[in-house]
Amino acid sequence: MKHRSFILLWAVCACILAGCGGASTQKDEHQHAHDEHSDHKHEHDHKHDHDHEGEEHDHDYKEDTHEAIDNEIIFTAEQAKAVGLEVSTAEAGLFCQVIKAGGQILSAQGDEVTIAATSNGILSFSGSAVEGVAVRAGEAIASISAKDIANGDPVAQARITYETAEKEFRRAEELVKDQIISTQEFEQVRLRYETAKTAYRAFAGKAGAHGVRLTTPIAGYLKNRFVNQGEFVAVGQPVATVSQNRRLQLRAEVPEKYFRDLQHIGSANFKVSYSDRIYKLSELKGRLLSFGKSAGQASFYVPVTFEFDNIGDIMPGAYAEVYLLSTPRPDVITLPIKAVTEEQGVHFVYVQLDEEGYVKREVTLGADDGERVQILSGIHVGDRVVTQGVYQLKLAANASVIPEGHSHSH
């Protein structure tokens, strides 16, 4: 009896213990499942946040790309070829400091002569003697007639004076032999004769049907006419200028505030008032002659003078815009001036994005030498900038429509 009671008591305890252990195991499993659910929820929330941030980033990128495409100018390869569009890669290199000044083209010394009247009378230019015409050495450019002048024809007067002086001289030769006149008196007669002969021969060699001819001693071109057709001229009065035009001078008037910089000037570019062409003294065998050591009495400018070869289309006397070139500076980004456009005081260039895509970009300019301009900001080395056909591209920018299916690759 006691043995059975013990067995029953042991079975009850084992049952209680088993129930407690099962409860603990279920509790652990429930907690583990709860933790897994929490971790899964955390991962889900993290993934959701990450995906949301990615969507925002992608949205911003799409907005930037969309904005770039909106500003893009489409210009097909056929259009570019038709207008002669050219693109150059921006590079950094040497660029001289520039001083801008006004100036004038002058004839070089010894390359021109002034023709003066050799007698009194009415001047008549020959039919071809217009300013700019080429003339040969010894060619007559005008004639002076005194037929209707009160003093008479100078040629006839010179001939009469010469013939009279010659007769006196022949008579004096006989008288001095017989010592009727002194040697001193004879020399005076001889001097009058030589003078009259020289004057007559000068007139006689240039006398023509219309009067005394005025000839040019050098070949060149007729630069200026100082009197009009049919005007009265006196002996020694300037009539015209003939220039050989082989060497010319460029005289720049520099503001005195740049006086200390003049010693570094080595060359210059210039543009004359009647042309848009930029002339470079480095290509015209130009050289610096001098620069002033003081300003003019009536101005605050210092003269700087160059000499150069005339290539045939530069007119002496013309006013010029001068770009004095000073010390070179390295690593400067420059572009041709023709690549830059201006709108309401703001400057722009057009940059090529791909074969048919372009964009207008604002730039800040520095100094220019008449041909190229320094770019301070807006362009980087390697950018492909439109340098020819800019105007046509600007017109296309106002009416550019992106065709369906066009994509821009970065």
Side-chain angles (χ1 to χ4, degrees):
M1 183 71 179
K2 290 180 180 181
H3 181 72
R4 292 177 61 186
S5 299
F6 177 77
I7 293 173
L8 180 61
L9 179 61
W10 180 85
V12 172
C13 291
C15 181
I16 293 173
L17 290 173
C20 291
S24 177
T25 300
Q26 291 177 0
K27 182 178 180 181
D28 290 342
E29 291 177 353
H30 177 74
Q31 181 66 33
H32 179 69
H34 177 73
D35 292 342
E36 287 182 350
H37 178 73
S38 298
D39 292 341
H40 178 73
K41 183 177 183 301
H42 175 72
E43 290 176 359
H44 175 75
D45 292 343
H46 178 72
K47 184 175 185 300
H48 177 73
D49 293 341
H50 179 73
D51 292 343
H52 183 67
E53 290 177 359
E55 289 176 359
E56 290 181 352
H57 176 74
D58 185 63
H59 179 69
D60 293 340
Y61 174 77
K62 287 181 179 179
E63 285 185 351
D64 293 342
T65 304
H66 181 67
E67 182 180 358
I69 292 177
D70 285 345
N71 292 333
E72 189 175 359
I73 304 164
I74 306 306
F75 209 67
T76 65
E78 291 76 11
Q79 290 175 308
K81 183 178 180 181
V83 302
L85 188 139
E86 296 179 4
V87 178
S88 299
T89 302
E91 299 178 351
L94 291 176
F95 187 71
C96 293
Q97 296 183 11
V98 180
I99 300 175
K100 289 187 178 182
Q104 189 175 15
I105 306 298
L106 305 173
S107 296
Q109 295 181 358
D111 273 0
E112 71 178 37
V113 296
T114 299
I115 301 174
T118 56
S119 66
N120 299 334
I122 305 299
L123 180 74
S124 297
F125 285 102
S126 62
S128 60
V130 295
E131 293 181 351
V133 68
V135 293
R136 301 183 304 274
E139 180 179 348
I141 64 168
S143 61
I144 301 174
S145 175
K147 290 182 178 180
D148 298 327
I149 304 300
N151 292 334
D153 186 357
V155 178
Q157 290 181 354
R159 179 176 58 80
I160 294 171
T161 302
Y162 164 65
E163 291 176 351
T164 302
E166 184 180 21
K167 290 178 180 179
E168 291 181 355
F169 174 69
R170 300 305 178 193
R171 181 170 176 271
E173 283 182 324
E174 298 297 329
L175 295 177
V176 74
K177 290 179 181 179
D178 297 335
Q179 296 183 350
I180 297 175
I181 61 173
S182 64
T183 304
Q184 183 178 2
E185 290 176 327
F186 172 75
E187 289 297 329
Q188 292 178 351
V189 173
R190 189 179 67 83
L191 179 60
R192 288 195 297 268
Y193 166 69
E194 294 292 342
T195 302
K197 182 174 66 173
T198 301
Y200 174 66
R201 287 182 176 179
F203 277 121
K206 297 179 180 179
H210 301 288
V212 178
R213 295 181 292 112
L214 294 183
T215 59
T216 171
I218 63 173
Y221 78 99
L222 189 62
K223 177 182 175 182
N224 295 314
R225 294 190 348 180
F226 300 119
V227 296
N228 296 321
Q229 179 78 6
E231 285 189 8
F232 176 83
V233 293
V235 175
Q237 180 178 343
V239 172
T241 301
V242 174
S243 175
Q244 291 180 327
N245 205 26
R246 292 180 301 184
R247 294 284 287 178
L248 296 175
Q249 290 183 353
L250 172 65
R251 179 185 172 96
E253 300 291 341
V254 184
E256 61 181 14
K257 66 179 181 179
Y258 297 113
F259 178 73
R260 292 184 177 179
D261 299 321
L262 295 183
Q263 58 183 329
H264 303 296
I265 299 297
S267 186
N269 300 339
F270 67 93
K271 179 173 66 174
V272 290
S273 56
Y274 55 84
S275 173
D276 291 331
R277 177 178 175 181
I278 296 296
Y279 297 92
K280 298 181 179 181
L281 293 185
S282 59
E283 299 175 354
L284 300 175
K285 298 182 181 179
R287 64 187 182 94
L288 176 66
L289 291 181
S290 65
F291 63 88
K293 303 302 186 292
S294 63
Q297 296 181 353
S299 68
F300 300 98
Y301 295 90
V302 179
V304 179
T305 306
F306 300 86
E307 189 177 63
F308 62 95
D309 282 347
N310 184 14
I311 59 177
D313 61 348
I314 302 176
M315 180 179 67
Y319 289 96
E321 186 175 352
V322 186
Y323 305 86
L324 299 173
L325 306 181
S326 183
T327 308
R329 293 179 296 166
D331 300 326
V332 178
I333 297 177
T334 63
L335 290 175
I337 293 179
K338 61 183 179 180
V340 182
T341 62
E342 181 181 356
E343 297 178 13
Q344 298 180 349
V346 182
H347 297 92
F348 298 92
V349 298
Y350 292 90
V351 179
Q352 186 182 43
L353 302 176
D354 55 29
E355 185 179 1
E356 297 185 345
Y358 304 83
V359 66
K360 183 172 71 172
R361 188 178 297 175
E362 181 180 346
V363 293
T364 304
L365 305 182
D368 72 271
D369 61 3
E371 185 177 43
R372 301 185 68 87
V373 60
Q374 179 184 6
I375 305 298
L376 301 178
S377 65
I379 291 296
H380 304 284
V381 174
D383 288 343
R384 292 179 56 79
V385 181
V386 178
T387 56
Q388 188 72 29
V390 177
Y391 178 73
Q392 290 81 357
L393 190 58
K394 181 178 179 181
L395 294 179
N398 298 328
S400 180
V401 178
I402 301 178
E404 297 254 349
H406 177 82
S407 63
H408 170 61
S409 59
H410 294 276

